[in-house]
Amino acid sequence: METADQLASVGTFQVLKLPLGFIRVLEWLFAIFAFATCGGYSGQLRVSVDCMEKASSNLSIGIDFAYPFRLYQVSFEAPVCEGIRRERVFLIGDYSSSAEFFVTIAVFAFLYSLMATIVYIFFQNKYRENNRGPLIDFIVTVVFSFMWLVSSSAWAKALSDVKLATDPDEVQLLISACKTQTNKCGSLHGARWSGLNTSVAFGFLNFVLWAGNIWFVFKETGWHKGAARLAGGASEKQAGTFTQEPYNQGSFDQTGSYNTQGNLGQPSEYSQVGGPTSYSNQM
């Protein structure tokens, strides 16, 4: 407890009130939701096979599948409607690559968000002392934004294919007994997709969070600070260009001879070339 109090006193938790820290916490939280709703999924569908020979019928065949959705490994037994014979039927499709890619990005995003939040709180001075920390943070944020977009799009497409491959009407076409018109096959219920639909929503929401945080991370880099200094210097220079000295009648002098407040007793410097300079000379 004393260690926690010491860390709390040393840490700068005020950063969590700023967009940079607050969005990192949201990224950490929504990354958990993304990989939990996808990686922890398991579903079941049920079909029925009603043979003409009632003794061979099976009116409730359960088919279970789960993450990572290697459906070609999922099998179930179905009656052949020829005595007591049964066949093993396998589903079609392998969508593990998209699902695992999505979960992997979510896990790494979770770890990085957690690490970045700890750095913001307890190592803020070291983070800001040179441009390396903000620059690495900026590059990683850009990469994760792109990876969230790619993985979420790929997983959304794979999910639609999983829904099609596990549709009870499509599964019935794999059962040989259902190809005979004398036998009747039906679907009892399909799988529930609310959890996986939520995972796709969380994936695109994570993309929005990471893409939106790019600007706030960029503001911490030397690139933004250098551009701000250049813009500030240019504005000061432009303001100095339009600054004029106060008008002073006594200081205004053309060609060093004209003075509006000059004394009348002083001799004038104005003379005509080759002409007399005084009245006595004319005499």
Side-chain angles (χ1 to χ4, degrees):
M1 189 65 182
E2 294 179 358
T3 304
D5 293 338
Q6 292 176 358
L7 290 175
S9 62
V10 174
T12 307
F13 287 91
Q14 296 295 328
V15 72
L16 299 181
K17 297 182 180 180
L18 301 176
L20 179 65
F22 180 71
I23 295 178
R24 278 285 183 249
V25 175
L26 291 181
E27 291 171 352
W28 172 77
L29 186 63
F30 283 105
I32 296 176
F33 293 153
F35 70 74
T37 52
C38 179
Y41 178 83
S42 62
Q44 184 188 70
L45 62 123
R46 286 189 175 274
V47 296
S48 62
V49 178
D50 188 7
C51 302
M52 187 173 63
E53 299 178 3
K54 299 300 181 181
S56 302
S57 301
N58 190 341
L59 301 181
S60 181
I61 302 175
I63 306 171
D64 299 318
F65 63 97
Y67 172 86
F69 307 104
R70 294 187 178 93
L71 300 183
Y72 69 94
Q73 297 179 351
V74 177
S75 63
F76 60 96
E77 290 187 351
V80 185
C81 294
E82 294 178 0
I84 58 174
R85 287 182 53 198
R86 293 182 177 273
E87 65 175 349
R88 180 164 293 277
V89 181
F90 289 84
L91 298 182
I92 299 175
D94 182 9
Y95 308 99
S96 60
S97 59
S98 298
E100 290 176 341
F101 179 52
F102 178 80
V103 171
T104 301
I105 295 299
V107 170
F108 279 106
F110 159 76
L111 294 176
Y112 181 79
S113 299
L114 179 60
M115 181 188 69
T117 304
I118 294 174
V119 171
Y120 292 163
I121 295 174
F122 300 106
F123 305 99
Q124 185 66 222
N125 294 332
K126 292 185 179 180
Y127 175 79
R128 295 178 182 271
E129 68 181 3
N130 54 46
N131 191 41
R132 181 178 300 177
L135 185 60
I136 294 175
D137 195 16
F138 173 73
I139 294 174
V140 173
T141 302
V142 172
V143 171
F144 267 111
S145 300
F146 176 74
M147 298 306 290
W148 270 118
L149 178 62
V150 173
S151 63
S152 299
S153 301
W155 170 230
K157 176 62 172 61
L159 178 57
S160 64
D161 294 337
V162 171
K163 291 179 179 180
L164 180 62
T166 57
D167 184 81
D169 294 333
E170 295 293 328
V171 173
Q172 293 175 28
L173 300 177
L174 303 176
I175 303 174
S176 60
C178 297
K179 299 177 182 179
T180 305
Q181 295 182 352
T182 56
N183 303 320
K184 295 181 181 180
C185 298
S187 59
L188 300 180
H189 67 78
R192 296 182 179 180
W193 304 108
S194 58
L196 295 182
N197 292 334
T198 304
S199 69
V200 173
F202 278 124
F204 285 106
L205 183 58
N206 274 285
F207 162 70
V208 173
L209 287 174
W210 284 82
N213 204 23
I214 290 177
W215 167 247
F216 299 105
V217 179
F218 175 72
K219 290 174 65 177
E220 301 295 326
T221 62
W223 296 339
H224 178 267
K225 295 178 180 178
R229 284 194 296 266
L230 291 176
S235 62
E236 291 177 0
K237 184 177 180 181
Q238 185 177 8
T241 303
F242 288 98
T243 302
Q244 296 181 353
E245 296 180 358
Y247 176 74
N248 189 349
Q249 291 182 348
S251 63
F252 179 76
D253 190 15
Q254 281 187 335
T255 68
S257 62
Y258 180 76
N259 192 337
T260 57
Q261 291 182 350
N263 295 328
L264 296 178
Q266 294 180 352
S268 174
E269 297 179 3
Y270 175 75
S271 63
Q272 295 180 351
V273 178
T277 59
S278 66
Y279 178 77
S280 61
N281 290 336
Q282 292 181 358
M283 292 301 292

